Amino acid sequence: MKVHGKKTGAGGALREPTPERGLEESDVALRKAMGLVNVAVDAQSRTVKAIIHDNVFTFFNLIFVVLAVLVALVGSYRSLTFMPIVVLNTLIGIVQEVRSKRTLEKLTMLSAPTARVLRGGREQTLRAEELVLDDVVIFTAGNQICADGVVLEGEAQVNEALLTGEADEIAKGPGDQLMSGSFIVSGVCKARLVAVGADSYISRLTLEAKKSKGVGQSKMILALNRLIKAVGLIIIPIGVILFLHQWLLVGNTVEESVVGMVAALIGMIPEGLYLLASVALVISVMRLARSKVLVHEMNCIEMLARVDVLCVDKTGTITEPEMRVEGAVPLSDEGDILPLLGDFAAAQASDNITMEAVKAYFTQGQGRRPLGVTSFSAACKYSSATFEEGCYVLGAPEFVLRERFGEYQALIQSHAARGARVLVFAQYAGRADGRALTAGVRPLCLVLLRNPIRKAAAQTFGYFAQQGVQVKVISGDNPVTVSQVAMQAHIDGAENYVDASTLQTEEALCKAATRYTVFGRVTPAQKRALVRALKSAGHTVAMTGDGVNDVLALKDADCSIAMASGSDAAAQAAQLVLLDNDFARMPLVVDEGRRVVNNIERSASLFLVKNIFSFLMSFFSIVLMCTYPVGPAQISLISAFTIGAPAFLLALEPNKRRIKGTFLRNVIERAFPAGITDFILVSILMLVGRWMGIPDEMISTAATILMSVVGLLIICYIGRPMNLWRWAIVAAMVAGIALSATYFHWLFDMSRLSLHCTVLLLILCALALPVMLGLGRATQTMVDFSFRMARQFLRRCKGLGARRRKEEGR
């Protein structure tokens, strides 16, 4: 705790650590006892208790319990057949979510952010949640800052864009503050943690963000939530009206009125729809987890299904993450410069794979001690070391040579054309401070590096080409080099490249985003701008990356994927993490996204068929002063074999079709024809049946069979083209209905049909398919018109709002 700005413990003031030793074990134990631990406020998963609570205590479960009590009170126990289905749905939801929680917790432990900390003079690697107040942490390039701190020693370039929105790199030295949630771009520093856990800056932001509803939730789930809330609001008044209508106006008994009202409401409630979507997403997360893919945000699974542009970095994605130096090409006759390169490399920190490769190759130095060092800057694309005899820089030729680049362009391009990454080593006449170079340079040599192409790269990018997904290669390297590497990986349009350093305006960048395939010399801010430009052009964009220069673009992409071997910052910013660093997993990930969304859309249509019929039939019964035609037990039979079971079975099969249109529109277009077909045919059955004098119990049984036939037809309709698995599902459902109606007729209130009723039923069954197909074409036209009018209305509302704000601004 803090008292007047001074930390105190049970025995007095807490001892502050030294940069050399950090905290002692006794200091750590005292802080843990006081609760001064860096425990995250945003738990990655809910507790088992919370999962059970959220699955049991739902609005619709409450309605089902109330309906069950009403049915029991009037003694119609046979009508309680809907309750076992409700209980089963709830249990399935709990079991699947608990299994998913346990699987994800194991994977999250493996990929949890870690930190290098000094304790008792020894360096240790601990999980970020094990750090305590005043711990001395060593931060290097790629590390995400896990708690607020103050720099004790060293210097680092820090990016705070995820917190402030400003993409500029900020130099941090002794005494400067480090904010949690930012990340180290380059350099090395030691920092003492001054705020941990809920007191840290990122925790306060997280708690504030939690006040916003729907953040990070799947659009599909949000659409279902809106649909279910709308249903929840209207079924209660409809239920009251139905009961009073049948009891007071139609003249039914209290028992008959309650049973009719319950049957109508059960038909209106999409009791398994939200569960189906939730369980399908949970199963999808588990399937990805078994393939070594960690899902940070559930909504990215849906976005994966809609991706039509994939942005990738060269290093670590197209190529293996390991880099090696091929050699050095002298540019001057001043003698052996390898010892100088060796001293330069020894002075640098191993804070990126390029410098690791340089340090591993240039090992012979003369022991020069640097007066100052600047780590690699992604914005200015060089690193530097200053010795007594001068300042030396190593970086991208265009940024180091600047106006002298033309002198060496042909030589550089010749190496780049072979796929080599080219850096220039030069003496700098000015003082290098991590900002853009302005003084003159004397080129000494070219350093050639190379990354091997991933073995499965060509096959992986071939898959995306077949699926209609464009691939954009965005890299900080020379565009010629990147283009050559992309061509070796068989990326379509890889010969179409541009140097992003020539794209100085936002307009030029936006035009280039859709025109070119390969982008070289891209700064982190430009990566982000390219992702935004592609999204503005109407694309759904996925971004892969593993470095700190990818973080901003990862945050802005519709779906972000990081390699576990990359920087901490990239892994924490991404929605998906490839734990085995294998980009060849991407087709599996995209297929999984398409499978889950396609199947949920298809299965959701089955649930809405019953709801549409029940709403229309309720109003029809009220207007014609007649009893609702089917009972709760019969609705349960229809739901079990034409909705529940086939929906779950269909949701599990492979489905790689690319997603088109919005979730709600796709569902409505499929469900409306069958729902209205049910309503028309059952209405005809009721009217003609009464005219022919057919008893109500026979009409009720015939209506159940008729709705079952339409239900089986819609399974075939949405399952086109039918395959062996789908025909097997239909056959199993037919058998289930037949067995239930024959051997459990007493349970589902099924009676024998007279000859007249059977003939009428057969005629209506024969009409079902042509009526549904005709309504399908009409529905598509109607939905197109409705959505077009809705879009125009929203555009007008936005225009009026913009004009009003403009007038208020005056």
Side-chain angles (χ1 to χ4, degrees), residues 63-64 66-72 74 76 78-83 231 235 238-240 242-243 246 252 254-271 607 609-619 621 626-639 643 682 686 700-701 703-704 707 747-749:
I63 291 179
F64 280 124
V66 171
L67 295 180
V69 170
L70 291 175
V71 169
V74 298
S76 183
R78 185 170 53 186
S79 299
L80 287 171
T81 48
F82 63 89
M83 280 307 291
V231 172
I235 61 173
I238 288 177
V240 173
L242 270 175
F243 171 75
Q246 294 187 58
N252 289 343
V254 172
E255 179 184 347
E256 290 171 338
S257 301
V258 167
V259 170
M261 179 264 292
V262 169
L265 294 189
I266 291 173
M268 294 177 199
I269 299 173
E271 71 277 4
F607 284 91
V609 169
K610 180 189 69 171
N611 306 140
I612 293 166
F613 165 79
S614 296
F615 276 116
L616 294 175
M617 186 52 65
S618 297
F619 289 113
S621 301
C626 60
T627 305
Y628 194 81
V630 288
Q634 294 162 335
I635 287 287
S636 297
L637 177 66
I638 296 165
S639 297
I643 301 171
V682 172
M686 288 174 63
S700 183
T701 300
T704 304
M707 290 177 67
L747 180 62
F748 293 106
D749 206 12

Side-chain angles (χ1 to χ4, degrees), residues 219-231:
K219 291 181 181 178
M220 179 173 60
I221 295 296
L222 287 173
L224 288 177
N225 278 338
R226 286 195 291 270
L227 179 65
I228 289 170
K229 284 178 182 176
V231 172

Side-chain angles (χ1 to χ4, degrees), residues 732-752:
M733 297 307 107
V734 170
I737 294 169
L739 289 172
S740 299
T742 304
Y743 296 102
F744 298 96
H745 57 87
W746 52 271
L747 180 62
F748 293 106
D749 206 12
M750 303 290 282
S751 60
R752 288 182 177 276

